[in-house]
Amino acid sequence: MTDKQTNNQWWKSAAVYQIYPKSFCDSNGDGIGDIPGIISKLDYLKNLGIDVLWLSPVYKSPGFDGGYDISDYLNIDPAFGSMGDFRRLLEEVHSRGAKLIMDLVVNHSSNEHPWFIESCKSKDSPYRDYYIWRDGKNGGPPNNWTDFFSGASCWEYSETTGQYNLHLFSKRQPDLNWDNPALRREIYSMMRQWLDMGVDGFRMDVISYISKPEGLPDVREGQSVSGLCANGPHVHEYLREMRREVLDKYDCMTVGETAGVTVEEAKKYASLSGDELNMVFHFEANDLDGGENYKWNKNKIELPGLKQVYTKWQKELSGKAWNSLYLSNHDQPRSVSRLGSELEEYRERSQKLLATCAYLMQGTPFIYQGEELAMTSRRFASPDELRDIEGINAYKSLIKDGLSQSEAMEIVSLRGRDSARTPMQWSGEPGAGFTSGVPWLKINGNYAKINAAEQVARPDSVYNYYRRLIALRKSDPVFTDGEYVPIFEERGDVFAYLRVCGGKSIAVLGNYSAKQVSAVVSNISAEIMPRALIGNIKSSVYLTTGILQPYEAIVLEINA
Ligand code: TEU
Ligand code: CA
């Protein structure tokens, strides 16, 4: 039954945890996280209050883009385990009352997928139109598009047939042709097989790019390939079809990763009327420091811009569509390093602040593994330590631009994707409790200090704060249903808002600066004694003075 029929929108109050399997827990000492490793940590997640696990891809893959290049959609990569391991994981997740969603990567496949191999063989292959093939133009590729990872042409020439195929990401990730109904049927059938097995939904990788613009026109001055391909002419039609053919038949949850989405588009993708997806990830907050145009810089995200983005999405989607709430993921720097403070006195406090302010807005919260420990972005010293295709290419191009090795490595460490993909820090033991072998990517050197074992045992740790915060969110419908009302909107140091629902008001206050600030909420009258529901400072003086300490967050019930 669908949520339309049952009105059971369980995903609205759920807390989701993203696992990057390669870096989560290695059970057999080969240095690569695996499914048995995940199973061994389910109680840690259960105790945190997680309702839904999202697994980044575990399908069979040559691994040129961390598994986002799939060569078999119906099997598990042997590095992660077997189908038996996967079924056991699903059972163990369900037996704990939780759910599991898979990453669905269907804008492109791997070039080692049998469909692509067949597609290359001849123009008459039944698989030819599973991909996007075109003749060249004036002795070169069909248009002037460049790919997101290398900056070289999006078109790969094939000698066999004398045509080019399109790839928005690396050349090992040819784009699938969604205009072909046979391809769409094949994808839907694959999705049904996972859902029939008991999987509870999907996170859909770059789903906003699946419908390419008519005629594949050149990008002109001021345009980008991403801008041209995002929210293409048939994307909503295809998602509605997917909804009818697949999703409506299951009680599942979907979140679209929609690069280039605007609030207007999000209202269609994630409409509460339930025609397409349940919610989407947008990039507007994370793009504030350069983002899709050019992220290889040292720009900082400033609070005023961030507040504007948050508030816009809260207000615009209210009553119309559903928000997702995330601070980071496997493509972004660690949130504490980017938006909080790495200084020892403020690291834990600022991570708690970020979580409080982000996750008490309206929407479904997503926690990226290690955020609940305030893990930091790793700094890499030399290019041979990097593993990510995007970071390696960026390093080369920064060197070409004339930067020194250390300057280039600093930028790649700050902004690249490897820094947040380092192994989970489970303990202070060698290998950080992640592996008994050699990890596939260097562990962050701070694991002796920042690790799960220490934090689970310490009541005021980030982990235990996240546990209380998640519980608080679930304790009252005001956190799911309450209206979002920004306060102190003009201030550049404080992010604050009310959640209002049926005579109840909650105030969420966060000081994003390293200074003490005063922030008295004007609608707290003398008769009303506000009650603090949660806060990140034990000796807060806010209730008596209206003063917030550096990076303080406090949540008040103001008219109970
Ligand atoms: O990312 C989509 C995406 O838009 C990325 O290019 C993102 O902008 C970039 O990583 C930021 O540096 C998804 C996956 O999350 C990512 O891991 C994959 O590499 C990509 O799609 C291709 O599948
Ligand atoms: Ca392993």
Side-chain angles (χ1 to χ4, degrees), residues 25-34 79:
C25 182
D26 173 22
S27 71
N28 61 356
D30 65 358
I32 300 173
D34 46 50

Side-chain angles (χ1 to χ4, degrees), residues 96-117:
R96 286 168 178 80
K99 299 187 190 269
L100 185 142
I101 68 173
M102 302 283 275
D103 219 308
L104 184 77
V105 188
V106 290
N107 172 69
H108 46 267
S109 72
S110 160
N111 64 337
E112 295 183 24
H113 194 292
W115 296 340
F116 188 71
I117 294 172

Side-chain angles (χ1 to χ4, degrees), residues 15 260 263 297 333 478 483 547:
V263 279
N297 57 45
V478 71
E483 190 195 344
I547 287 176

Side-chain angles (χ1 to χ4, degrees), residues 65 68 105 108 148-149 169 173 203 205-206 209 257 259 283 292 295 330-332 390 417 421:
D65 183 21
Y68 285 87
V105 188
H108 46 267
F148 301 147
F149 284 157
F169 293 88
Q173 296 163 292
R203 173 268 189 191
D205 192 62
V206 285
Y209 289 149
E257 190 216 23
F283 287 63
E292 279 184 63
K295 69 175 190 178
H330 65 293
D331 293 334
Q332 304 291 338
E390 184 194 56
R417 307 192 299 183
R421 292 180 179 181

Side-chain angles (χ1 to χ4, degrees), residues 14-66:
V16 187
Y17 187 93
Q18 180 191 356
I19 291 184
Y20 193 70
K22 217 175 167 181
S23 297
F24 193 63
C25 182
D26 173 22
S27 71
N28 61 356
D30 65 358
I32 300 173
D34 46 50
I35 294 174
I38 298 174
I39 296 173
S40 72
K41 298 298 183 186
L42 290 178
D43 288 331
Y44 167 91
L45 299 172
K46 173 78 189 165
N47 180 52
L48 188 57
I50 298 303
D51 306 291
V52 180
L53 299 185
W54 149 29
L55 291 192
S56 274
V58 287
Y59 312 93
K60 203 160 182 306
S61 162
F64 287 103
D65 183 21

